[in-house]
Amino acid sequence: MPVVYKKRLGLFRDPAVQQELQTLDPVRDHQRMVHLLTAYEFPFDITRALELALFHTYASPRVSGLLARTGEFERHGQKRYDDTSRLISEFMESGYGSEKGQRAIAHMNLIHGHYRIDNADFLFVLATFVFYPIDWLNQYGWRKLTATEELALFYFFREVGRQMNLNNLPETPAEMRAFTDAYEAQYFRYTESNRRIADSTVKIVQGWFPGLLHALVQPTFSALINDKLRLAFGYKQPSGWFTGLIRGALWIRKLPLRWITFKPYPSLIEKTSFRYYPAGPPEIEAVGPEEIIRKIK
């Protein structure tokens, strides 16, 4: 039975989590390692990194074009965000080999099966789920990931890719980076669909804050992405002082987090609030575009 850790004095991290991570093998134990990283070490940061990972994919007209055609983001933005979060969180928390993880991946595959999506586009999205948490945590996390933790994320999502029936999965992180670079060089460019989906995402996040802060959301996204993405979305680069303020605040917040955490311990789906589902986390098979769910039933 896996160990469940508790905070010390209700506030301080248990160093035994990191100690266990150091004993695990990324090939054999990557499901447990990903659980420890998401449920204990970096629940807030990994969530933010995966949000930016999805935002990154909208710079590809092949991805944004499909989303624009479905209209899901523009009509039901918060629902789509929560539905995506519900499924991804399940197999990261429970493991892709668990009963719930298998259900989440099967349901995700069922939804994807209603659209024509190229294998390369799936691989590109999968790659962002590997590299965004790594890059974000190494810059803004309260500690950097170890080499074995980085490998655990790669092996975890490569296996998720296998269960999504993807072809030509990269064998190493370096191959996955090379694939991502080649994909972006070939497909990234500004299109109206990129801007529409990016703006729809900004609108979702604006809904999380008081009206006075809405004007800061889009510049904050712009401050956290690179020039290539800003060009693909048609966004302007924020002023240097604003970018420095956002990045500086993220750097400062990591200092006390070396010892304390305000997140639940462990941070699990059952303790997560979903704005579209105020009554609590929805059932796995209940999430997704409503017309698809009706067909499934």
Side-chain angles (χ1 to χ4, degrees), residues 53-172:
L54 287 170
F55 195 70
H56 183 108
T57 67
Y58 309 149
S60 168
R62 292 158 62 99
V63 176
S64 68
L66 172 63
L67 293 172
R69 288 191 297 275
T70 68
E72 282 294 309
F73 248 98
E74 292 163 298
R75 294 196 305 267
H76 312 293
Q78 186 61 58
K79 181 180 188 303
R80 191 190 186 284
Y81 173 89
D82 284 346
D83 288 353
T84 301
S85 175
R86 176 69 180 90
L87 295 178
I88 295 172
S89 297
E90 188 62 70
F91 59 74
M92 291 188 76
E93 175 185 309
S94 304
Y96 57 73
S98 69
E99 184 266 339
K100 287 186 177 180
Q102 289 281 294
R103 285 169 54 199
I105 293 175
H107 191 62
M108 182 174 66
N109 289 344
L110 193 60
I111 293 171
H112 288 160
H114 285 77
Y115 305 105
R116 293 183 62 182
I117 305 174
D118 189 82
N119 187 77
D121 299 330
F122 274 128
L123 287 178
F124 168 61
V125 175
L126 193 75
T128 66
F129 285 11
V130 174
F131 295 128
Y132 258 84
I134 291 172
D135 295 342
W136 174 279
L137 290 169
N138 287 342
Q139 186 169 8
Y140 300 121
W142 62 269
R143 67 171 176 85
K144 293 186 177 183
L145 291 177
T146 66
T148 56
E149 289 166 345
E150 291 184 7
L151 283 173
L153 284 166
F154 169 74
Y155 288 124
F156 182 93
F157 279 107
R158 189 177 69 168
E159 182 56 35
V160 170
R162 286 200 179 107
Q163 297 197 18
M164 292 171 65
N165 302 310
L166 303 189
N167 301 315
N168 303 317
L169 283 161
E171 292 296 323
T172 66

Side-chain angles (χ1 to χ4, degrees), residues 14-262:
D14 187 343
V17 177
Q18 196 170 349
Q19 291 166 8
E20 182 185 347
L21 279 162
Q22 293 169 352
T23 70
L24 299 176
D25 178 85
V27 176
R28 182 188 64 238
D29 305 316
H30 52 261
Q31 292 186 82
R32 174 63 175 171
M33 293 179 73
V34 166
H35 171 80
L36 293 173
L37 292 173
T38 56
Y40 295 97
E41 296 285 87
F42 307 107
F44 175 88
D45 293 274
I46 289 179
T47 298
R48 302 289 84 77
L50 293 179
E51 288 168 354
L52 281 175
L54 287 170
F55 195 70
H56 183 108
T57 67
Y58 309 149
S60 168
R62 292 158 62 99
V63 176
S64 68
L66 172 63
L67 293 172
R69 288 191 297 275
T70 68
E72 282 294 309
F73 248 98
E74 292 163 298
R75 294 196 305 267
H76 312 293
Q78 186 61 58
K79 181 180 188 303
R80 191 190 186 284
Y81 173 89
D82 284 346
D83 288 353
T84 301
S85 175
R86 176 69 180 90
L87 295 178
I88 295 172
S89 297
E90 188 62 70
F91 59 74
M92 291 188 76
E93 175 185 309
S94 304
Y96 57 73
S98 69
E99 184 266 339
K100 287 186 177 180
Q102 289 281 294
R103 285 169 54 199
I105 293 175
H107 191 62
M108 182 174 66
N109 289 344
L110 193 60
I111 293 171
H112 288 160
H114 285 77
Y115 305 105
R116 293 183 62 182
I117 305 174
D118 189 82
N119 187 77
D121 299 330
F122 274 128
L123 287 178
F124 168 61
V125 175
L126 193 75
T128 66
F129 285 11
V130 174
F131 295 128
Y132 258 84
I134 291 172
D135 295 342
W136 174 279
L137 290 169
N138 287 342
Q139 186 169 8
Y140 300 121
W142 62 269
R143 67 171 176 85
K144 293 186 177 183
L145 291 177
T146 66
T148 56
E149 289 166 345
E150 291 184 7
L151 283 173
L153 284 166
F154 169 74
Y155 288 124
F156 182 93
F157 279 107
R158 189 177 69 168
E159 182 56 35
V160 170
R162 286 200 179 107
Q163 297 197 18
M164 292 171 65
N165 302 310
L166 303 189
N167 301 315
N168 303 317
L169 283 161
E171 292 296 323
T172 66
E175 289 181 14
M176 185 170 273
R177 287 272 191 191
F179 164 81
T180 303
D181 291 343
Y183 180 99
E184 293 178 0
Q186 182 174 358
Y187 296 116
F188 271 27
R189 67 183 188 279
Y190 174 80
T191 64
E192 183 61 29
S193 65
N194 292 0
R195 181 61 180 254
R196 283 172 56 190
I197 301 305
D199 286 349
S200 295
T201 304
V202 168
K203 186 177 179 181
I204 294 169
V205 178
Q206 285 175 334
W208 305 350
F209 299 101
L212 289 174
L213 299 178
H214 286 187
L216 299 178
V217 173
Q218 189 270 325
T220 299
F221 270 105
S222 292
L224 294 173
I225 59 178
N226 58 34
D227 290 338
K228 180 167 52 178
L229 293 181
R230 280 191 288 268
L231 288 171
F233 295 137
Y235 284 172
K236 294 180 180 179
Q237 183 171 2
S239 60
W241 70 264
F242 185 83
T243 299
L245 180 67
I246 295 299
R247 295 185 177 182
L250 288 169
W251 192 89
I252 290 171
R253 69 171 276 278
K254 69 184 181 180
L255 300 178
L257 294 180
R258 295 177 184 273
W259 299 282
I260 64 176
T261 178
F262 301 103

